[in-house]
Amino acid sequence: MLETLLQKLLEFTFGDRLFRVALLMLYGLSALAGLLIITAVLLRALRDYQQRQRQKREQRWYPLLLAVLTDAQPPQALWAQVSPKEAMDFCAFLYRFARRVTGSELERLHALAAPYLPRLERQVFRGTPEERAFRLQILGVLGRHTQTELLVQALDDPAPLVVLVAFRQLAHPETAYLAPILIDRMPRLHQTSPALLAALLARLGFDALPALRQALLDEHRPVWVRVVLADALHRLNDPRGAHLAADLLQHPDLPAELVQALLRLITVAGTPAHQEAILPYLQHPDEAVRVEAVRALGAVGSEAQLPRLAASLQDPSPWVAMAAARALKQRQAITLLQEAARQPALRPLIEQVLHEDSASIP
């Protein structure tokens, strides 16, 4: 059968219609491949040319920038070397320096960029998400005090990358009054690291605490958003937030991840008055919840709660038992640890914990 097929293929000639069609398709595909190769080469050449031109411009600007920053030249000397079509490249040039300086030098860079920022503003929402995000980043760094309205507008950009850039630029103490807006936009950043979002919210500072607390209590917000809010309050060591966390822990059937965040908040900012809210979670079915409950009780529990911590050494989870041993060690309950170490199953774990600071069991 194979021989027959090969024979039929060899019988095709230029006079056969099917052969001509196949040949034309081959020519067409070859031409298309050649065109794609030529296009790629031309684009590469264009990028290389643009890069060389950019480097030449920056080599021209750099000595003048140093002269302006050291008062050897007025700003006009540098501005005279920047044409309107070079505004974007000039702002990107200043941006790289602005990220590494503070104080008066940063203010001078802001002043140098000011004449070119309006042109950048008109282009900020054009192009790809990456281009929009980069322009917004430049505007946020070089004109933060004057670009607040534009940054807030960017929180509604269809691209999460642009939203995140705007969120980061607005997460500063001077814009703490925008905390409610930032919190409301958080669901658009559901794929962003929760730890990063919590750190950004904490950067707003103490003036944002009322908004963070109020949002934490809002049961209509997504659970993961409330977890981020609790972690932000944790980072700010908020005692009133710990009180709210203890109240929330009184509610049954809270999601495990929210319980963990609330317990972490109590661990850093709680008081013995909150220990009763912790106790039920020592028996929670989720291992991670029990770990956080043990840590929280070790941090804020009274002396009367030390036996409960010792009982957690018997937890089936080695991580819970480890957390209990560390909590007892932190509370200087060495006698309870020594008694527990008489059990062969617990002795290696307790020895490990005590040796973490070069201690030992007598």
Side-chain angles (χ1 to χ4, degrees):
M1 181 176 179
L2 181 59
E3 293 178 357
T4 303
L5 179 61
L6 291 174
Q7 184 177 1
K8 287 184 177 295
L9 289 174
L10 291 173
E11 290 175 356
F12 281 128
T13 66
F14 284 101
D16 293 309
R17 182 178 179 183
L18 182 60
F19 184 80
R20 291 199 305 271
V21 171
L23 193 60
L24 288 173
M25 290 180 63
L26 179 61
Y27 287 157
L29 291 174
S30 299
L32 179 61
L35 181 61
L36 291 175
I37 292 173
I38 293 172
T39 302
V41 171
L42 290 175
L43 288 175
R44 176 62 182 271
L46 178 61
R47 285 196 298 269
D48 289 345
Y49 172 78
Q50 292 173 338
Q51 180 64 22
R52 288 194 301 270
Q53 293 300 110
R54 187 178 300 113
Q55 289 174 350
K56 289 180 180 178
R57 288 192 293 268
E58 292 185 359
Q59 288 172 0
R60 185 173 76 247
W61 294 334
Y62 183 71
L64 285 171
L65 174 62
L66 293 182
V68 171
L69 292 178
T70 57
D71 291 326
Q73 290 284 352
Q76 290 78 4
L78 179 55
W79 289 336
Q81 297 297 319
V82 183
S83 67
K85 66 179 182 180
E86 295 173 338
M88 177 63 193
D89 288 338
F90 183 63
C91 289
F93 171 71
L94 295 178
Y95 164 74
R96 295 204 302 273
F97 292 93
R99 294 179 62 186
R100 301 195 295 266
V101 299
T102 58
S104 61
E105 289 185 339
L106 180 59
E107 293 301 323
R108 290 192 178 195
L109 290 172
H110 288 174
L112 285 171
Y116 304 94
L117 294 184
R119 185 181 181 91
L120 198 58
E121 291 171 21
R122 292 192 293 270
Q123 300 176 352
V124 70
F125 294 118
R126 300 175 185 174
T128 67
E130 291 76 15
E131 291 171 340
R132 300 199 302 273
F134 184 54
R135 294 188 191 112
L136 196 68
Q137 181 78 6
I138 293 174
L139 284 170
V141 171
L142 293 177
R144 179 182 302 157
H145 301 297
T146 61
Q147 302 298 325
T148 300
E149 184 177 347
L150 186 144
L151 290 168
V152 171
Q153 182 181 351
L155 293 173
D156 293 320
D157 190 278
L161 174 61
V162 178
V163 177
L164 179 59
V165 169
F167 196 101
R168 293 186 65 169
Q169 293 300 321
L170 291 170
H172 290 276
E174 60 266 27
T175 50
Y177 65 92
L178 294 174
I181 295 176
L182 295 177
I183 294 169
D184 288 342
R185 298 304 193 280
M186 280 177 56
R188 304 205 55 223
L189 298 171
H190 64 279
Q191 294 182 333
T192 304
S193 163
L196 172 60
L197 292 176
L200 291 175
L201 289 176
R203 269 174 34 182
L204 293 169
F206 299 121
D207 289 341
L209 286 176
L212 296 175
R213 295 170 188 149
Q214 182 177 1
L216 176 62
L217 295 175
D218 187 351
E219 298 179 358
H220 296 95
R221 296 186 184 274
V223 171
W224 75 267
V225 169
R226 299 177 75 192
V227 169
V228 170
L229 293 166
D231 284 341
L233 292 171
H234 168 190
R235 291 170 183 268
L236 290 168
N237 296 320
D238 180 32
R240 188 170 176 184
H243 183 71
L244 296 178
D247 288 342
L248 287 172
L249 289 173
Q250 304 293 333
H251 300 172
D253 302 324
L254 287 177
E257 58 268 34
L258 179 56
V259 171
Q260 293 173 54
L262 296 174
L263 289 169
R264 287 193 295 268
L265 176 52
I266 290 177
T267 299
V268 299
T271 69
H274 303 138
Q275 61 188 357
E276 293 299 325
I278 300 170
L279 298 180
Y281 294 97
L282 296 173
Q283 307 300 323
H284 196 276
D286 189 295
E287 173 189 64
V289 170
R290 298 200 304 277
V291 168
E292 297 298 342
V294 165
R295 289 173 178 167
L297 189 62
V300 306
S302 64
E303 294 294 320
Q305 302 300 335
L306 295 180
R308 290 181 183 270
L309 290 174
S312 291
L313 293 170
Q314 307 291 339
D315 193 281
S317 166
W319 302 111
V320 177
M322 180 76 73
R326 287 172 174 162
L328 288 168
K329 176 184 172 183
Q330 186 177 13
R331 298 294 297 270
Q332 299 296 313
I334 304 301
T335 301
L336 289 175
L337 286 173
Q338 291 172 347
E339 292 174 356
R342 296 193 182 102
Q343 302 177 45
L346 290 178
R347 186 176 182 88
L349 181 147
I350 294 174
E351 284 184 336
Q352 176 183 339
V353 169
L354 290 178
H355 277 85
E356 285 175 348
D357 290 330
S358 301
S360 62
I361 298 177

